[in-house]
Amino acid sequence: MNAPDAAPSPLAPSASASFDFDRPVSTVEALKRSISNRLVYSVGKDVRSACARDWLFAVFYAVRDRIMDRWRETHHAAIDQDAKRVYYLSMEFLPGRMLTNALAAEGLLEDIRKACTQLGADFDTLVDLEADPGLGNGGLGRLAACFLDSMATLALPGMGYGIRYEYGMFAQRIVDGRQVEEPDQWLLNGNPWEFMRPEYSYTVRYRGHLVPDGQRVRWVDTENVIAVAYDSGVPGYELSSVATLRLWSARAESALNLEQFNRGDYMRAVEAKNWSENVSLVLYPEDKTEQGRQLRLRQEYFFVSASLQDLLRRYLKTHGSFEQLADKVAIHLNDTHPALAVPELMRLLVDEHRVPWDEAWALCQRIFSYTNHTLMPEALEVWPVDLLGWLLPRHLQIIYDINARHLAEVHARFPEDMDLLRRVSLIEENGQRRVRMAWLCALASHKVNGVSALHSDIMVRTLFADFARLWPEKFCNVTNGITPRRWLGQANQALSELIDARIGPLWRRELSHLGQLRAHADDDAFLAALRLVKQRNKRRLADYVGRELGIEIDPESLFDVQVKRIHEYKRQLLNVLHVITRYHAIRANPKGNWVPRTVIFGGKAASAYHMAKLIIRLINDVARTVNADPCVSPLLKVVFVPNYRVTLAELIIPAADLSEQISLAGTEASGTGNMKFALNGALTIGTWDGANIEIAQNVGEEHMFIFGNRAEQVAELRAHGYVPRRYYASNYELKMAIDRIADGAFSPEEPQRYQDLTRSLLESDYYQLLADYADYIATQNRVDERYRLHRDWSRSCLHNIAGVGMFSSDRAVSNYAEGIWGVRPLFEGGRPATPPWSPALAAGI
Ligand code: 26V
């Protein structure tokens, strides 16, 4: 009988009777054998009984087997070298599907396809069965996943820590034009990629009482939840190394409250168990500012406490004291969500390990670093002192102690400035007392970074102005990046092959190599090939839209795409105003020389975000009207693609001609979709905001369509009384567009439907859509003109691809590793020979 395929090597001999030992085994044969073995021994089926899910799991196990050796080597290298490690703490990870990604990393994509075919399974069907883990809201979670991919590829010793939500981001359906949310049951069929590690379980404590005990405090009578580790391997390109994503799942301390159970109160006994396990049940949508706050705070502490206990345990296995802690451990805070790591590390060191306070605090300030991802006031975390003191009394006490020392220090430096103390205090005192989590992170960290040049600049001039005056050396910029493996190699295989044929495959490790493509900017054959690739990707998307939505779209038309979370500051509504304007213009002149367009939207609205949901409904109402108009629809189509997520991004982005990045200047911290589109040869229509600016500087402004007010003008308008009605009254097309929305032209069955939207536009227009409308429309017309000139358009495509080399997450992660974390690769050759990254971060701004 065959043994389970535990340690597969492509050349491992099989115990099968029919095997010919003299013949070298091809990779395809070896894969077939491991898949068959895994089907029988791990899935418990055989070829005769296997359903598609069984095949998927068998393939998954065979693929997973092939990262295990490198995973162990990575782990052992870190221990043997006593390497400094970085722990990336993030409430959100959006890794996307794992299977093709792992296969590409292993270099087995083509062989597995053949192996599946020969076994009678269709690989593409299997790929489509895999769940897409939606453990995040958007950009921040996807960035964390790209960073893990880069850490693995660069062989940096590091680990991601997060929460294994049982329900991730909700699934979005559109019913009668409206968003309907459904639970995302991504674990329903099991997760073949993860390993449960019950031996790594930690008690996370809440509430209780404090008992002073000399220098420390004993925390007693707590309510406890158990955090259980689940590990997934993140394979780097060509298996440079394999990083670990460790996610925590909550378990009740005991299955049932036996006392209650014995009293016959069965329901209450079970309720307690549910309450504990609720902690990791569901991902919080990003607008939940008021409701359900308590559970969110429990979540934040839950994963932070488990992660810190885990990393201290690992450190203490090979170190006898805490002296070297800051030389061996870096902890990165992905936004303020893991801010409780600061008082928790202090508590663990001071209360549990009896480290003196000052030593513990000095360690913290060397260990922590923090990334700010938004300046929007409503998104900055503040926790009521009452809630924090009720749930985590010791942590509140520690925060007060940190604050007292901090304020004393500031007072000593600036004794005359009393208002400064109020401003930099960790406690906000207006009405309800609240803890400012961003202040806590900035105080405890040795580096604080923003995510694009503009954002970092605004950050130190506004939000952190006082802190930047106190410690200018702390603040720096690390512009975001994306992994070229997933966002070009995997999502756009046709373009990847075309690029490979010209400049070789090394761009996968060293994205700045794409710059070599500029040498082909006048090569007509190459430009034609680029067009052909785009055409294929557009057809692939058109097929999906036809199949799933029943809308026929023309792959020859210009694909104008805006996919991202629906939010007023991202200004999807400005895009809709353009669509309506164009609709009116075509109706007025149907015989005009129009460039046919398909305007594609996708994105989720937070379930309680009324305006965002109205915008989705308006897009669908406009789509219904426009698409049904026989005189317009050959020239203009509108599509809202439901349930936008990583998997759909991989389909949509490679098919885009035009990338809409139209946020109000100064509001989008970076954006990362903007980079993905440019990498796939879309031209950007965008404002001077976030990373758009740096993209323009690298690609060339002449290959993009930049419009609208800049951040200073936005601030100026806001300061001097912005009056949206002025724009409305003086622009006939704009007035028409808004009036038609307001009078129900797109919602005849309910003419008042968009009253809230139009009123908000005319009365406040906080995101200044009207101020940018005219320039946006004019710029959209320039887009048409350029698109008509096939060759010019293709040249600009090429310049976009060639110019985005610096937006690789490898460059971003190298910046962090060298300038912030102080970690080095475990293996030689884990990074490219000629570093493209800046040698050090800009020291202070
Ligand atoms: C934004 C808002 C807006 C107001 C309502 C409540 C709320 C809550 C959360 C957020 C965003 C949180 C942080 C975030 O996801 N920022 C995004 O991070 C990306 C990665 O750095 C960056 O590319 C995006 O520009 C930034 O919005």
Side-chain angles (χ1 to χ4, degrees), residues 139-140 143 286 335 373-374 376 378-379 451 480 567 569 668-672:
L140 172 141
L143 185 77
E286 61 180 28
D335 215 317
H373 292 270
T374 182
M376 310 273 272
E378 62 270 46
V451 291
N480 282 167
H567 204 291
Y569 85 82
E668 187 69 276
S670 162
T672 44

Side-chain angles (χ1 to χ4, degrees), residues 404-416:
R405 288 168 165 87
H406 158 58
L407 293 180
E409 226 174 273
V410 174
H411 183 59
R413 280 180 65 187
F414 298 94
E416 72 293 350

Side-chain angles (χ1 to χ4, degrees), residues 813-835:
V813 165
S814 300
N815 284 169
Y816 281 102
E818 289 168 20
I820 298 180
W821 303 330
V823 298
R824 297 154 59 83
L826 288 170
F827 305 117
E828 282 303 311
R831 60 163 65 167
T834 46

Side-chain angles (χ1 to χ4, degrees), residues 296 300 335-339 379-383 435-438:
R296 165 79 178 195
E300 292 186 353
D335 215 317
T336 58
H337 317 145
L380 294 176
E381 277 192 306
V382 280
W383 287 107
V435 180
R436 296 160 162 158
M437 304 311 265

Side-chain angles (χ1 to χ4, degrees), residues 452-633:
S452 72
L454 176 74
H455 166 69
S456 296
D457 189 48
I458 301 179
M459 181 178 86
V460 295
R461 285 190 293 103
T462 59
L463 184 66
F464 288 128
D466 290 322
F467 281 41
R469 182 156 72 108
L470 289 168
W471 314 291
E473 68 292 344
K474 261 193 197 187
F475 294 88
C476 58
N477 173 60
V478 181
T479 298
N480 282 167
I482 57 172
T483 168
R485 273 78 60 184
R486 181 175 292 266
W487 294 111
L488 180 52
Q490 183 177 318
N492 200 343
Q493 283 176 37
L495 181 56
S496 300
E497 281 163 27
L498 182 62
I499 295 173
D500 286 349
R502 290 289 160 142
I503 66 166
L506 296 182
W507 55 266
R508 290 176 179 78
R509 269 190 195 282
E510 182 41 79
L511 198 62
S512 62
H513 282 193
L514 292 182
Q516 296 168 22
L517 291 173
R518 289 199 185 96
H520 303 279
D522 295 312
D523 176 342
D524 282 332
F526 188 65
L527 296 180
L530 265 183
R531 266 197 300 279
L532 215 64
V533 163
K534 185 62 81 182
Q535 216 48 43
R536 264 172 64 178
N537 293 332
K538 287 167 76 172
R539 182 160 297 284
R540 185 171 66 153
L541 176 58
D543 288 346
Y544 176 88
V545 168
R547 199 171 59 240
E548 298 292 323
L549 310 179
I551 303 175
E552 197 189 315
I553 58 177
D554 176 9
E556 299 293 327
S557 65
L558 185 163
F559 279 16
D560 171 351
V561 183
Q562 188 172 22
V563 284
K564 49 180 78 237
R565 279 301 283 257
I566 309 292
H567 204 291
E568 287 162 284
Y569 85 82
K570 295 175 187 284
R571 305 202 293 189
Q572 280 92 355
L573 194 49
L574 180 58
N575 190 344
V576 176
L577 289 176
H578 164 249
V579 170
I580 294 172
T581 303
R582 181 172 288 248
Y583 169 63
H584 291 155
I586 296 174
R587 278 181 60 111
N589 178 18
K591 297 260 176 319
N593 184 20
W594 298 101
V595 172
R597 271 207 200 207
T598 304
V599 185
I600 297 166
F601 293 88
K604 293 176 184 176
S607 43
Y609 190 170
H610 171 63
M611 284 296 185
K613 286 189 140 177
L614 264 186
I615 292 170
I616 292 181
R617 191 146 197 217
L618 177 62
I619 294 169
N620 284 305
D621 273 345
V622 170
R624 183 184 55 171
T625 312
V626 169
N627 298 350
D629 187 325
C631 117
V632 175
S633 69

Side-chain angles (χ1 to χ4, degrees), residues 738-754:
I738 295 179
D739 287 351
R740 291 296 82 79
I741 300 173
D743 68 21
F746 303 100
S747 54
E749 64 279 31
E750 188 192 351
Q752 304 292 298
R753 186 173 287 162
Y754 297 108

Side-chain angles (χ1 to χ4, degrees), residues 89-103:
L89 266 52
S90 179
M91 282 287 272
E92 304 190 3
F93 284 94
L94 279 173
R97 286 175 172 165
M98 308 278 179
L99 185 58
T100 2
N101 188 247
L103 282 164

